Amino acid sequence: MSIHLKCLTSIVLVVVMLGASGMANDARAQAEPQSYLFNTGQTIQPVFEGWAHNPDGSFKMHFGYLNRNYVDPIHVPIGEANRMSLGGDDQGQPTHFYARVNRRVFSVTVPADFGDRELIWQVTVGDETYRAVGWLQPEWEIATNRFRRFFGTPEEQAANQAPTLEVEAASRSAVSDTLTMTARVTDDGLPPPRDRSFRRPPTLPTFEEDPDGPTLPINVPQIQPENRSQPTRTRVDGVNVTWSLWRGPIGVSLASQGEPENGGATVTARFSTPGEYVFRVQASDGPATTSQDVVVAVR
């Protein structure tokens, strides 16, 4: 074999090896789970979000969570798979987890002598367990006046009273029925409504394919945000009213019915699974919030 032919053969082998190495690297890059966005089948990460002082000397510890799904909610009953480390498994945490990030979802009150102990919220989905560990670290204190500049003058803030909330709903329903629930709200008008005219409308992302962009591999999961289950929100006489499924099986849809009128906002619930459901209704004027739970048995 001539010297030129030997050199040519060596060059070809090097190119083939580099190409194979590049293909392997591409395959490994595509296989990294953190590069994918999944609609379903993922886990929950509880999150400790800080603590605050209570007037009686006790402390309030706040928790939220990340449901790693982009679409599907997850139901985890109270017990070994959804429990707190102190005071019993059930400390008011949700069993229904909406998709993605949900902040300051609930709080747990601990005594004034809590000291350097830890409060742990543990959630297991499948065979994966994740924990949120909370303790009274000074840097994690939540200042109660953090957003007061948005809620009127100091005099208005001192005079403000929490909204009153009454919820009208039947305690029983059936899978084939539509349940109607109405929240009636009154408020003292404080703080005065904020001027929202300066806000620019949000720029919504587009999921349309760019004709000049690269072709996506067919094995990459696609996000379907239009199918995402979320709490239902409306505004009644300057008060934000939120309806959310707090506990209960997967398989309920909430929808607002018309515009609020006469201090009332109505939603309907449709069920696909029997069981006991707990809906949490919250009325907030900004600095003050009133909550009420509605329990419905669905046969």
Side-chain angles (χ1 to χ4, degrees):
M1 182 180 295
S2 68
I3 296 178
H4 293 291
L5 183 56
K6 288 182 179 179
C7 291
L8 180 59
T9 303
S10 300
I11 293 173
V12 171
L13 287 174
V14 169
V15 170
V16 171
M17 291 174 66
L18 288 174
S21 175
M23 292 174 62
N25 288 334
D26 289 343
R28 283 195 296 271
Q30 289 191 11
E32 293 293 336
Q34 62 266 27
S35 301
Y36 290 165
L37 309 177
F38 290 92
N39 289 331
T40 189
Q42 301 306 294
T43 56
I44 294 169
Q45 174 62 66
V47 179
F48 173 60
E49 299 194 273
W51 59 272
H53 286 277
N54 288 325
D56 62 359
S58 62
F59 304 97
K60 186 173 291 186
M61 308 188 80
H62 301 284
F63 292 87
Y65 63 84
L66 165 66
N67 174 354
R68 292 183 172 89
N69 292 334
Y70 271 78
V71 173
D72 285 354
I74 300 174
H75 174 63
V76 185
I78 300 295
E80 187 64 25
N82 182 1
R83 60 190 178 91
M84 307 297 293
S85 62
L86 297 174
D89 291 347
D90 190 349
Q91 292 295 311
Q93 70 267 33
T95 68
H96 182 89
F97 295 86
Y98 287 98
R100 303 309 297 153
V101 176
N102 293 264
R103 300 187 183 279
R104 296 280 291 277
V105 175
F106 74 103
S107 61
V108 178
T109 299
V110 297
D113 62 352
F114 192 70
D116 59 357
R117 284 181 288 173
E118 296 177 344
L119 178 63
I120 301 173
W121 182 24
Q122 176 175 300
V123 181
T124 301
V125 177
D127 58 355
E128 296 189 49
T129 298
Y130 293 90
R131 300 173 178 85
V133 182
W135 69 91
L136 300 176
Q137 182 166 322
E139 291 82 359
W140 294 343
E141 180 181 0
I142 298 173
T144 56
N145 62 352
R146 180 180 176 187
F147 298 108
R148 281 188 175 179
R149 66 185 184 275
F150 298 118
F151 297 123
T153 66
E155 293 76 18
E156 290 171 336
Q157 295 170 19
N160 179 57
Q161 299 293 317
T164 64
L165 172 65
E166 294 183 1
V167 182
E168 303 169 359
S171 60
R172 295 182 179 276
S173 187
V175 170
S176 58
D177 295 341
T178 299
L179 177 69
T180 299
M181 299 181 285
T182 300
R184 302 199 178 278
V185 177
T186 59
D187 191 48
D188 58 6
L190 295 176
R194 294 166 55 193
D195 180 13
R196 300 173 182 268
S197 60
F198 66 90
R199 290 188 175 184
R200 296 180 179 178
T203 302
L204 299 178
T206 177
F207 289 89
E208 296 180 1
E209 183 177 354
D210 183 356
D212 298 324
T215 302
L216 292 176
I218 60 173
N219 65 327
V220 175
Q222 301 298 303
I223 304 174
Q224 301 170 8
E226 68 278 4
N227 297 328
R228 184 181 299 172
S229 173
Q230 295 178 322
T232 299
R233 296 180 173 89
T234 188
R235 193 167 176 85
V236 181
D237 297 335
V239 176
N240 294 315
V241 180
T242 304
W243 298 77
S244 58
L245 176 59
W246 193 251
R247 293 183 176 182
I250 302 296
V252 60
S253 59
L254 289 170
S256 297
Q257 295 300 299
E259 293 296 323
E261 57 182 19
N262 300 323
T266 299
V267 302
T268 57
R270 296 183 63 87
F271 306 91
S272 61
T273 306
E276 183 175 273
Y277 293 80
V278 179
F279 297 98
R280 177 154 295 181
V281 189
Q282 295 177 304
S284 175
D285 63 6
T289 300
T290 303
S291 299
Q292 183 175 334
D293 288 348
V294 179
V295 182
V296 180
V298 178
R299 65 184 186 277

